[in-house]
Amino acid sequence: MTSAAAPHPARERWWRGRTMRRFLANRLALFGAAAIVLLVLACVIGPGLLPYTSLSIDLRARFAPPFTGSHYLGTDPLGRDVAARLFMAGRISLAVGFAAMLLSTIIGTLIGVIAGYRGGWIGAVLMRMVDGFLSFPSIFLVLALAAALKPSAMMITVVIAATSWMEVARIVETEVRSLREREFVQAGRMLGLSGTHIMFREILPNAIGPIIVAATLTVARAILMEAYISFLGYGIQPPLPSWGNMLDGAQRYLGSAPWLAIIPGAAITIAVASFNFIGDGLRDAFDVRGDHK
Amino acid sequence: MRGFLVKRLLQSLILLLIVSVIGFAVLNLFPGGPLAQYALDSSMTQDDLMRLKEQLGLNRPLYVQYLDWAFRLVQGDWGHSFRDRAPVLSVIGRHLWATFLLMGSSTILAVGVGAWIGIRSATHRGSLFDHAATIGAMVALSIPTFWFGLVGIYVFTLRLGWLPAGNMYTVGDESILDYLHHLIMPSAVLALVHVAIWSRYMRSATLDVIHQDFVNTARAKGLSERRILMKHVVGNALLPMITLAGIQLPSVLTGALVTETVFTWPGMGRLFLDSLGYSDYPVVMGLLMFSAVLVIVSNLLADITVALVDPRIRLA
């Protein structure tokens, strides 16, 4: 009886064994993981290695194209080093992406577990709420919220999380609903374990695969979202650089200084694509059936 | 069928209700709330504001205010723009067709190209084309639309000089060809992400159908592979795409907003950003609600269409 109540089959298995092997066999996912590690390293130690800081203005070296002297990626309209700014911006953009992912995964998991386990009218109300949020084209809602609230990095993170928890909630709800009727859950119920214990200690560990997959894809989405709102001027505010706000205003110099637009956008694409590759690899590794969107 | 319709209609009504509650909450989040316009006016004293608050009924309990607001929304009274006092709905109406033109053309493009890539991937499963399409789709999904637009302008306008960098038409020359010329780049840029989504979808839908009995039967009857593909496989794979079109709408609208910004396209997205910039909250709210209603109604229509065409779904 005790063995039936606490199988926790997922706990040791993901590190060695099938899942990890499958992930390692996915070259694209490995490439993504390597790119992210490199990108994070570059953003963490890169600024220290460069001869310029992201804020040092050099008006004699305005609009220097890439590979001018030690300005490896050129300079911007104020003569600031683009490489230094890119790495500093990466810190912000990646941190916002990670934090928004954590927050929205927590919100989504909570709502999904409760809706899936409780079912009935609570589940129905919660899931209609998910549909309601999904009906707003999220950029409209995000921009309206960002304009209404004060746009600090923290606020942007919260706003992005507030509009991207729905996918996780849906995935978790479906997963929990199917796990709810399994023997080990019924055994737990017969043992008289509380609903909270069953939801979070018995069911949740078994739904961890889909959650990790959804979380990875949410990082990609969050980085992209930050880029969109910062590009439009309602996100991270200068002088704090982010990949999105480096592109704000780049359109004006497209003819004379195209690198100002091309470089930050390439960084966003690489980061987002890498997270998408990792997420996709994890989905195959965890064997999560799902719509390939 | 009637049961299905009633159920879906009811669900949509509940959704609209939830959406309106979220919308009302956002409206009250703005600094100054619904009174923001007057709070900005320096000639207004605190007393004036209080009196106004009373006149407009803003001192009533929130739920009464909500009911009042929602009731006027239903009657078509969406308030007036702070900028030119025009009714919100007519302001939106003026910008609607530019957005629809952009969304429509890019959706046609995306479905066409996406379906072709998806079907080819499925019939040539495991080929170089299939792998390239898989990776290409994931990369396409990761490219920020506005950046793709900037790169497009750089290459096709600044370098090659083939396409205009923005606007919907050239002043003085407003022929259809001129419109088309201006439409090419924005709709291609907006289509990119959706080509990726449609191709992925079409690939798995085709793979689902391709091994079913009726396809084998068709083959046994001696039909050519091409005929089987066009008539039996594509036909059956296309049907659920109607639903997908409904689901994709929010993402198309999101893309349209940034595409319109980059290409100075005079649609709803530009209107939204301009209104945000001017703190024109009635229009901001109007667009927020309008886009949500648009999404819900199109999803409802998509479901009804599928149910009408496919008898198997009627009881769902």
Side-chain angles (χ1 to χ4, degrees), chain A residues 33-47 87 90-91 94-95 98 243 275:
Chain A
I36 291 301
V37 170
L38 278 177
L39 213 53
V40 170
L41 274 180
C43 291
V44 172
I45 56 173
F87 293 144
R91 290 185 182 179
L94 290 172
F98 271 113
W243 287 335
F275 278 112

Side-chain angles (χ1 to χ4, degrees), chain B residues 80-223:
Chain B
H80 293 263
S81 161
F82 285 170
R83 271 195 283 173
D84 55 4
R85 315 282 337 147
V88 168
L89 273 182
S90 80
V91 176
I92 295 177
R94 258 184 276 149
H95 291 79
L96 199 56
W97 82 273
T99 298
F100 277 173
L101 181 66
L102 181 62
M103 281 170 41
S105 60
S106 100
T107 301
I108 293 171
L109 194 67
V111 172
V113 177
W116 179 76
I117 295 177
I119 294 168
R120 213 188 129 90
S121 290
T123 50
H124 298 71
R125 200 179 177 185
S127 66
L128 186 64
F129 181 89
D130 186 22
H131 286 302
T134 305
I135 297 173
M138 268 200 282
V139 174
L141 281 174
S142 312
I143 296 178
T145 306
F146 58 89
W147 182 65
F148 191 56
L150 293 180
V151 173
I153 291 175
Y154 179 68
V155 174
F156 291 104
T157 307
L158 297 172
R159 288 277 130 180
L160 299 170
W162 290 352
L163 296 166
N167 295 329
M168 200 156 74
Y169 52 83
T170 321
V171 179
D173 175 13
E174 280 153 50
S175 61
I176 293 190
L177 270 180
D178 185 50
Y179 271 91
L180 279 179
H181 194 210
H182 282 80
L183 187 61
I184 296 172
M185 204 151 48
S187 62
V189 164
L190 178 55
L192 177 80
V193 171
H194 301 99
V195 168
I197 296 172
W198 289 105
S199 71
R200 290 288 82 195
Y201 174 75
M202 201 62 196
R203 180 180 182 272
S204 62
T206 309
L207 283 176
D208 282 348
V209 179
I210 219 164
H211 297 297
Q212 279 185 23
D213 289 342
F214 66 87
V215 177
N216 289 334
T217 311
R219 202 166 282 142
K221 281 197 304 188
L223 293 181

Side-chain angles (χ1 to χ4, degrees), chain A residues 28 125 128-141 143-145 147-149 224-225 227-228 231-232 234 244 247 250-251 254-255 258 261-266 268-270 272-274 276-277 280 292-293, chain B residues 11 14-15 18-19 22-23 26 29-31 135 138-139 141-147 150-151 153-154 158-159 197 200-201 248 250 253-254 257-258 261-263 268-269 272-273 276-277 284 287-289 291-292 295-296:
Chain A
L28 223 47
V125 167
R128 286 295 86 75
M129 216 169 80
V130 170
D131 293 341
F133 268 93
L134 279 173
S135 312
F136 278 112
S138 44
I139 192 93
F140 285 80
L141 191 56
L143 285 172
L145 283 172
L149 307 162
L224 214 48
M225 195 53 99
Y228 278 113
F231 169 70
L232 295 170
Y234 290 94
L247 282 160
Q251 190 165 5
L254 210 50
I262 291 170
I263 291 168
I268 298 170
T269 306
I270 292 170
V272 174
S274 299
N276 280 333
F277 287 152
D280 203 61
H292 269 269
K293 272 199 279 187
Chain B
Q11 276 181 356
I14 295 173
L15 261 184
I18 297 171
V19 160
I22 303 173
V26 173
L29 270 179
F30 283 118
I135 297 173
M138 268 200 282
V139 174
L141 281 174
S142 312
I143 296 178
T145 306
F146 58 89
W147 182 65
L150 293 180
V151 173
I153 291 175
Y154 179 68
L158 297 172
R159 288 277 130 180
I197 296 172
R200 290 288 82 195
Y201 174 75
Q248 283 309 316
L253 269 172
T254 299
L257 184 136
V258 281
T261 313
V262 173
F263 291 101
M268 292 198 305
F272 185 77
L273 282 168
L276 263 189
V284 169
L287 281 167
L288 204 57
M289 293 305 296
S291 52
V295 169
I296 292 171

Side-chain angles (χ1 to χ4, degrees), chain A residues 75-87:
Chain A
T75 61
D76 72 356
L78 294 172
R80 292 175 297 188
D81 187 55
V82 171
R85 275 171 56 75
L86 190 74
F87 293 144

